[in-house]
């Protein structure tokens, strides 16, 4: 479904992705783990089109994405829940969600919103309040819910569990697993590598802009190098 | 040996001020040079306020007006020597900035913009309306500084143009030196910190209100001195010096040149002072070209002329 | 080639003055060069637009003298710019003919500085003379806060006493204001006001005149020479402008001048040429530039030399020179050379300028 | 009484003009956080182009329509040529671009239209309406009506339409806006078209009262800016209230205190309001948590 | 034993919502006190009130015996309080080193005139701060990034920079709002050690964190908030066994995980 070949990207003169190869098959959950500054966020930004690509190709459902502006990617089914949440702080929670479904005007929007509220009841409570007033974790939930409102066929998640209470972290991972059942493909970047690998089909390890290891999630969890470097076990 | 940005900037300035006259074909160029320096002094103040501390002012010409009229009025009414009048003007500006700054520096962004704009307009309105004192919109004469005569007695015979060129040049170098000192000093760092995040600055102990006020007062003094020098040099002054357009001009010079760096802002002052002189060849098209240049610079060099150029040269293009 | 410099406010808040001045100078230079120049030499005009900014004006004056090496300067559309230019021209001993109104420019007399417009004071005097004739003793004033309006307001209040008239209401407006009914209502409601005087230029006086009619104030309205051009009638509307009086120059009533009027030929020639060239009607201010240029060329011709000192001396001895504004007679004590007779009291009737007599 | 009424009429007439200009600021500001200092030039263009078309023999309504459309197109061009290429530049740089654009437009207008002052006939004649001993021109009612209609339209746009919210979203967080599929480029184009159109409309409605010339833009921009800030930048309610308030303060100060210091009074009031309400009367407090 | 910080009946509302309600607890020097609770429980708000960013609606904050309720943050900083932010507050356009030096503001500040004229006193102050800042950066592993513009760092690196800046104040009490968010297990452990070390040096630490492993490992004392109210308090073992806490916050999985780490 999503294929990345030789992807390079740079900030100014400094290259931070030095040729990334990875692929995500339809209906798969794939996770990328790596230390601070490895380039995980940069990778996702390249995929969502908010960071310029300086080399390599990205193919999504058989079509090249190169040159496609960021705002046209959600219409193709590619949606991102970005690092740092990036919610619309001055708009209400409900408006945030509605904008998540910006491309759709049908009745399903209301239903999706109900689903989102069911998933995160706190958002229903706060639906008419400015999103900027939400707590950190609540904002994170909103970012996730907003991404889901876009009816993605492929969801890019950048640290969705960050700042969430353990009980919600569990729930988030459940949701992601549940997406799989709905046929949604997920590319998940997580610092909670243990949790991510547990629900993922496959995983990649990223170090300073390169993929250094990949394989089935179960194998990676078992790999002593991974356990030492990322799982802290 | 690695030479610091500060020394480099000062060196460039000294060399430019000292050596440019060798290229001057006529006395008129001294006049333009002196004007550049005068503007650059005010703009250096803007760098401290806007570039370092991130506070906008659309009314700094008000302080220039106070400096200018101090030099026009104090010698006549108080019998002060014009040079002392300059100091008096700076002191009045500082006090006024202190009083005005207190309430309005709580405001943010455009709200601070409109409040300072209001202040500037109030000053220029007083200068315009209090005709008995200021001569109203027609302006008033400013006494001779008299320093040139002293120099001549001391054996240094300069033309009027040369005198003002070197005097303003020296004061500019001094002004730039102070601003550069500030940049890397504890105070400068605190100013830049509150620019980045006020809450974080507060929690590391920065008294934000006080520091903003300090920056405001310092920049007001810069504007005031600039106004005084303009008045003394022109020997005639009108309320235009305190007008809205002059305030905008200061900010434009700073931003165009690069508001974050002293040399950049001075460069901006030079460009925008020279431009109208160069554009006279376009006659009718002058405004058109001026607007176009401003837009093009900001489009292609959004960080300002000098920083963007330096970035390109160093290859850190973004 | 004789180099002449000019710095006028062709743009900016005083463009209303400077624009026709610039056009006039360019046109006249072209004309004179087509006719072989002065004393066989062509005139090269360097014209700068100071935008009404005295600081710029000073820079341009320096540039004209030091860099362009002109022998004389015309310009300074406003008092501020004129004062800036004159301090440079006096220092360098270059003759300068100002186009601004204030009396300070030539009083006290400075050796190299002259001017062509009547002073504001003279305009006031002319108006008050007329009021006196109509037995008006109490007036209201509404003045623009621009240099022109403010200066004339001050001068008028200075001389008004000499005519036994008191100013009972003294209001102002800003040059960009859109509505003056408030000030006019105040004046109307002031006890005893018999007439209203409005010193100002630009769009302000037009709006005052319209508001005057809106409020149906039926007292005589006096405008200043600042609006003496056909454009004013057009903007204010003939209906609203009906009965408005102002001190104007011969220019406005070119077709009504007697054939023996000494100003007739020069006024006719200028009016025809200017209106043909620019498509806009002539006004007082273009006339000032015309007269300045006339005085200068006349002086150079008489001096037979383009030396600044010689030109200065020749200007000072100008006598009986008919310009559009009046007949100029300069002297060592008088660097303006006009008297009150240069002004004619005009009244708008049926959308036309007529002479009050 | 009649006197007070007359002052009030004067105040609302001028206030409506300010309000219209202030309303023009809101859209571009809401889309990009940029105060467009060229807004005054749109007002000038509205008046000037109507004059030119009318003078060329077109009927007034058609002339006005052309003026509004052309000005909108100029707004779009300004966005495409000057604002969009500078995307990512600091807000101050964008502001300088708008100042540059305003000088550019003014310079162009001066070349094309000359420096004469112009006007065109009032829409419903010049016969003043008498109310309670005071008078008001029919054109004033046009301006007031225009301000109210534009206000209602904008208010509905921002609160009731998805596009309106997309505009707000774009300024609040451009990156996030793109991530949900908002074409932020289009939003900017639309905003400039609307802002310029509203500006031009202001010019069309106000010119029979205020007159116009190539350089009236700056004064409009300044007063409109002050009015918008008084009301709270970005909020149509604020623009409307700020405009009328400013007009009334000026008129009442001129009427009862001093016409010389009426603008000063206006700014003193603005300073006072901001002292107690740092976001203006209706400005939204931005909610940013730490 | 006298507490360094005591919070007494603290409360605040936002438009009807009692974000924090009548919360009391104390913090001792050398100890790590953690505040945990579900998202929106009021932890950050509590921090904001203690550190003077918000004015409390009710209650008192007492620091070292002095009532400092609602005192401005910069005055609290002078009294030895320092904090990090959940929503990063970095001086973006300054370098990493300058960010750290900014933390030394209280030590390096001096008369503005001395700074303007670059007097030796000013240079001395600045040099001392710079030396300290470099050491701190080394401690959080950012020494190699010292000259980079802070805005260009990755999220995790910024988190550590915030900690460095907060440490620069040599605080008596340090408030950390989710210091480990965005760091993986190994990186978290490093932060762990750092915090423990700081506590050992005599600093009182108030910590908000959702990483239960970390919390349980290093806390001396835990306060649990839910819906703005304190629902439990005690040592890690007792808190992690508290059914109310498990139900509201930990969930079964994490609960066992935490208990495991604890045991
Ligand atoms: N805007 C930027 N400008 C310059 N460099 C940047 C920028 N953003 C990130 N970098 C650099 O690019 C590299 C990769 O950063 P990225 O944010 O992709 O890392 P990450 O793997 O997501 O880290 P983390 O786990 O901390 O979020 C880092 O070295 C970072 O400093
Ligand atoms: N400025 C504000 N305006 C409106 N509501 C606010 C504001 N600040 C906090 N709140 C509300 O107060 C409650 C507590 O928020 P707080 O940020 O303290 O939670 P928290 O415990 O830190 O949560 P998290 O673990 O998600 O960071 C939340 O429901 C939040 O929406
Ligand atoms: Mg990241
Ligand atoms: Mg929190």
């Amino acid at each position: 479904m999503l294929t990345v070949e030789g992807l390079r990207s740079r900030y100014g003169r400094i290259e931070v992705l030095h040729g990334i190869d990875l692929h995500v098959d339809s209906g798969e959950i794939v996770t990328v783990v790596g230390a601070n500054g490895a380039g995980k966020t940069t990778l996702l930004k390249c995929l969502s089109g908010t960071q310029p690509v300086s080399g390599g190709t990205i193919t999504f459902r058989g079509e090249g994405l190169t040159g496609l502006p960021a705002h046209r990617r959600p219409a193709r089914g590619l949606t991102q829940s970005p690092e740092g949440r990036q919610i619309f702080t001055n708009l209400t929670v409900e408006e945030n969600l509605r904008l998540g479904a910006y491309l759709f005007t049908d009745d399903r929007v209301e239903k999706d919103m109900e689903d989102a509220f069911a998933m995160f009841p706190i958002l229903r409570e706060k639906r008419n309040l400015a999103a900027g007033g939400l707590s950190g974790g609540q904002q994170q939930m909103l970012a996730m819910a907003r991404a889901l409102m876009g009816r993605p066929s492929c969801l890019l998640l950048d640290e969705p569990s960050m700042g969430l209470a353990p009980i919600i972290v569990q729930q988030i991972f459940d949701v992601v697993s549940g997406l799989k059942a709905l046929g949604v493909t997920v590319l998940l970047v997580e610092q909670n590598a243990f949790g991510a690998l547990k629900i993922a089909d496959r995983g990649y390890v990223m170090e300073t802009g390169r993929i250094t290891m990949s394989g089935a999630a179960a194998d990676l969890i078992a790999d002593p190098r991974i356990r030492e470097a990322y799982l802290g076990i | 040996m690695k030479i610091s940005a500060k020394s480099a900037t000062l060196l460039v300035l000294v060399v430019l001020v000292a050596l440019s006259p060798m290229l001057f074909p006529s006395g008129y160029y001294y006049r333009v040079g002196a004007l550049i320096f005068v503007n650059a002094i005010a703009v250096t103040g803007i760098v401290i306020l806007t570039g370092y501390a991130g506070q906008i002012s659309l009314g700094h010409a008000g302080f220039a007006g106070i400096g200018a009229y101090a030099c026009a009025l104090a010698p006549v009414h108080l019998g002060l020597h014009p040079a002392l009048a300059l100091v008096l003007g700076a002191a009045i500006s500082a006090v006024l900035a202190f009083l005005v700054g207190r309430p309005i520096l709580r405001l943010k962004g455009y709200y601070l913009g409109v409040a300072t704009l209001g202040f500037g307009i109030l000053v220029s309105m007083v200068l315009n309306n209090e005709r008995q004192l200021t001569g109203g919109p027609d302006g008033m004469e400013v006494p001779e500084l008299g320093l040139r005569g002293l120099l001549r007695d001391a054996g240094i015979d300069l033309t009027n143009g040369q005198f003002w060129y070197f005097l303003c040049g020296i004061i500019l170098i001094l002004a730039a030196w102070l601003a550069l000192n500030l940049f890397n000093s504890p105070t400068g760092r605190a100013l830049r910190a509150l620019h980045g995040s006020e809450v974080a600055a507060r929690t590391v102990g920065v008294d934000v209100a006080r520091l903003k006020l300090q920056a405001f007062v310092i920049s007001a003094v810069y504007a005031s001195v600039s106004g005084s020098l303009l008045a003394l040099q022109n020997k005639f002054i009108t309320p235009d010096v305190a007008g809205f357009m002059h305030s905008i001009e200061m900010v434009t010079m700073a931003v165009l040149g690069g508001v974050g760096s002293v040399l950049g802002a001075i460069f901006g002052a030079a460009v925008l002072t020279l431009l109208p002189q160069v554009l006279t060849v376009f006659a009718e098209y002058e405004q058109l070209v001026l607007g176009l240049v401003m837009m093009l610079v900001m489009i292609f060099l959004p960080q300002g002329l000098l920083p963007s150029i330096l970035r390109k040269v160093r290859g850190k293009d973004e | 080639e004789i180099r002449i410099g000019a710095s006028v406010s062709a743009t900016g808040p005083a463009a209303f003055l400077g624009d026709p001045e610039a056009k006039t100078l360019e046109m006249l230079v072209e004309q004179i060069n087509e006719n072989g120049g002065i004393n066989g030499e062509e005139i090269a005009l360097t014209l700068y637009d100071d935008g009404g900014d005295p600081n710029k004006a000073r820079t341009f004056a320096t540039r004209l003298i030091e860099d362009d090496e002109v022998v004389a300067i015309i310009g300074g559309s406003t008092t501020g710019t004129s004062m800036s230019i004159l301090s440079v021209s006096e220092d360098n001993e270059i003759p300068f003919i100002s186009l601004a109104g204030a009396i300070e420019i030539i009083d006290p007399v400075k050796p190299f500085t002259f001017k062509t417009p009547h002073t504001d004071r003279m305009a006031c005097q002319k108006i008050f003379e007329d009021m006196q004739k109509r037995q008006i003793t109490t007036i209201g004033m509404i003045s623009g806060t621009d240099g022109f309006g403010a200066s004339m307001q001050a001068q008028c209040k200075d001389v008004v006493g000499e005519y036994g008239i008191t100013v009972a209401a003294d209001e102002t407006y800003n040059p960009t204001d859109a509505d003056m009914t408030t000030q006019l209502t105040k004046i109307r409601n002031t006890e005893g006001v018999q007439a209203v005087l409005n010193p100002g230029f630009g769009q302000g006086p037009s709006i005052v005149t319209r508001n005057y009619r809106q409020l149906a104030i039926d007292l005589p309205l006096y405008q200043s020479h600042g609006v003496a051009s056909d454009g004013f009638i057009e903007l204010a509307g003939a209906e609203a402008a009906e009965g408005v009086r102002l001190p104007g120059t011969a220019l406005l009533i070119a077709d009504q001048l007697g054939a023996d009027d000494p100003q007739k030929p020069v006024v006719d020639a200028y009016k025809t040429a200017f209106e043909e060239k620019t498509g806009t009607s002539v006004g007082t201010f273009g006339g000032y530039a015309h007269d300045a240029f006339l005085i200068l060329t006349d002086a150079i011709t008489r001096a037979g030399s383009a030396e600044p000192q010689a030109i200065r001396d020749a200007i000072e001895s100008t006598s009986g020179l008919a310009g559009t504004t009046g007949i100029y007679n300069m002297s060592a004590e008088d660097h303006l050379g006009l008297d009150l007779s240069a002004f004619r009291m005009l009244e708008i009737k049926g959308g036309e300028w007529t002479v009050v007599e | 009484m009649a006197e007070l009424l007359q002052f009030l009429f004067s105040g609302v007439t001028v206030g409506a003009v300010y309000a219209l200009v202030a309303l023009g600021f809101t859209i571009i500001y809401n889309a990009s956080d940029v105060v467009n200092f060229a807004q005054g030039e749109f007002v000038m263009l509205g008046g000037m182009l109507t004059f030119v078309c009318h003078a060329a023999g077109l009927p007034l309504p058609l002339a006005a329509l052309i003026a509004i459309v052309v000005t909108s197109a100029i707004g779009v061009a300004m966005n495409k040529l000057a604002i969009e290429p500078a995307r990512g530049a600091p807000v101050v740089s964008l502001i300088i671009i708008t100042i540059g654009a305003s000088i550019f437009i003014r310079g162009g207008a001066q070349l094309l239209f000359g420096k004469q002052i112009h006007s065109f006939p009032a829409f419903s004649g010049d016969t003043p309406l008498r109310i309670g001993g005071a008078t008001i021109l029919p054109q004033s009612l046009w301006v007031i009506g225009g301000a109210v209609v534009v206000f209602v339209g904008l208010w509905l746009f921002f609160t009731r339409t998805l596009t309106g919210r997309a505009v707000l979203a774009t300024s609040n967080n451009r990156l996030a806006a793109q991530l949900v599929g908002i074409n932020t480029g289009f939003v900017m184009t639309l905003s400039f078209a609307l802002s310029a159109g509203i500006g031009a409309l202001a010019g069309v409605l106000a010119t029979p009262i205020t007159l116009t010339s190539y350089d009236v833009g700056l004064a409009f921009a300044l007063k409109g800016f002050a009015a918008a800030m008084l009301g709270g930048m970005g909020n149509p309610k604020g623009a409307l209230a700020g405009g009328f308030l400013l007009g009334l303060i000026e008129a009442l100060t001129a009427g009862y205190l001093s016409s010389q210091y009426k603008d000063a009074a206006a700014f003193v009031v603005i300073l006072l309001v901001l002292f107690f309400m740092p976001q203006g009367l209706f400005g939204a407090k931005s909610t940013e948590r730490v | 034993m006298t507490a360094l910080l005591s919070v007494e009946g603290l409360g605040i509302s936002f438009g009807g919502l009692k974000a924090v309600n009548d919360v009391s607890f104390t913090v001792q020097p050398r100890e790590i006190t953690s505040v945990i609770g579900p998202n929106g429980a009021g932890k950050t708000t509590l921090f904001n009130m203690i550190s003077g960013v918000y004015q409390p609606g009710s209650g008192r904050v007492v620091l070292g015996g002095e009532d400092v309720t609602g005192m401005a943050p910069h005055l609290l900083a002078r009294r030895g309080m320092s904090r990090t932010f959940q929503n990063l507050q970095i001086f973006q356009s300054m370098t990493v080193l300058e960010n750290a030096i900014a933390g030394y503001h209280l030590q390096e500040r001096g008369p503005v005139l001395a700074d303007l004229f670059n007097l030796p006193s000013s240079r001395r102050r600045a040099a001392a701060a710079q030396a300290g800042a470099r050491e701190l950066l080394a401690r959080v592993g950012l020494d190699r990034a010292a000259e980079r513009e802070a805005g260009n760092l990755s999220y995790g690196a910024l988190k550590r920079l915030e900690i460095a800046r907060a440490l620069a104040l040599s605080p008596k009490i340090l408030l950390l709002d989710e210091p480990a968010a965005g760091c993986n297990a190994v990186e978290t452990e490093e932060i762990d050690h750092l915090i423990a070390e700081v506590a050992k040096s005599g600093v009182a630490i108030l910590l908000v964190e959702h990483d239960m492993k970390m919390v349980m490992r290093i806390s001396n004392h835990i306060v649990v908030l839910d819906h703005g109210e304190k629902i439990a308090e005690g040592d890690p073992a007792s808190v992690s066994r508290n059914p109310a806490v498990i139900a509201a916050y930990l969930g079964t999985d994490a609960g066992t995980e935490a208990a495991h780490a604890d045991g």
Side-chain angles (χ1 to χ4, degrees), chain E residues 61-113:
Chain E
V61 180
V62 180
L63 178 65
E66 183 190 3
D67 185 342
V68 295
T69 316
M71 190 178 272
H74 68 274
L75 298 177
L76 288 169
R78 283 184 210 173
R79 287 164 174 73
M81 185 184 288
S82 168
R83 70 169 287 185
T84 67
F85 297 89
Q86 181 176 11
N87 292 340
L88 293 176
Q89 296 294 323
I90 291 292
F91 310 133
Q92 304 262 351
S93 57
M94 292 162 70
T95 66
V96 170
L97 180 63
E98 283 177 323
N99 266 270
I101 302 179
Y104 283 96
H105 177 72
L106 287 174
Q107 282 156 290
E108 71 160 358
R109 83 201 156 114
V112 61
L113 284 179

Side-chain angles (χ1 to χ4, degrees), chain B residues 1 28-29 63 105 120 140 162 209 229 278 299 306:
Chain B
M1 201 192 85
Y28 148 72
Y29 292 80
F63 297 115
L105 285 168
M140 67 184 296
Q162 287 168 336
L229 289 174
V278 176
I299 291 170
L306 201 69

Side-chain angles (χ1 to χ4, degrees), chain E residues 104-259:
Chain E
Y104 283 96
H105 177 72
L106 287 174
Q107 282 156 290
E108 71 160 358
R109 83 201 156 114
V112 61
L113 284 179
D115 288 354
L116 268 175
F117 288 95
N118 195 24
L119 299 183
S121 69
S122 161
R123 271 177 279 161
R124 248 194 324 273
R125 284 182 272 122
Q130 176 163 356
R134 282 196 186 277
E135 247 168 68
L136 266 183
L137 287 181
R139 252 173 103 183
V140 298
L142 283 175
D143 41 342
R144 300 241 318 269
E147 309 301 334
R148 288 182 62 183
E149 204 173 294
N152 296 347
L153 259 49
S154 77
Y155 188 86
L158 291 174
K159 279 257 130 170
R160 283 182 277 145
L161 179 55
E162 277 227 344
I163 297 175
R165 188 180 64 196
L167 284 176
L169 276 83
S170 320
K172 287 202 218 107
I173 177 161
L174 177 61
L175 279 57
L176 299 168
D177 199 348
E178 302 198 13
C183 296
N184 67 29
V186 176
E187 291 158 343
T188 306
E189 238 167 88
E190 290 167 15
I191 293 176
D192 238 2
H193 293 312
L194 183 66
I195 296 173
E197 219 174 274
V198 173
K200 221 174 286 162
S201 72
V203 177
I205 288 183
L206 190 58
L207 171 74
V208 167
E209 182 53 66
H210 287 300
D211 185 328
M212 279 309 110
K213 269 197 247 171
M214 171 174 181
V215 170
M216 296 299 165
R217 204 160 46 214
I218 67 172
S219 309
N220 299 96
H221 190 77
I222 297 178
V223 175
V224 189
L225 296 187
D226 188 19
H227 288 108
E229 317 224 359
K230 188 170 81 178
I231 59 165
E233 184 171 7
D235 59 38
S238 70
V239 164
S240 63
R241 276 192 295 271
N242 185 326
V245 179
I246 293 177
Y249 181 59
L250 296 174
T252 43
D253 249 24
T256 46
E257 214 175 276

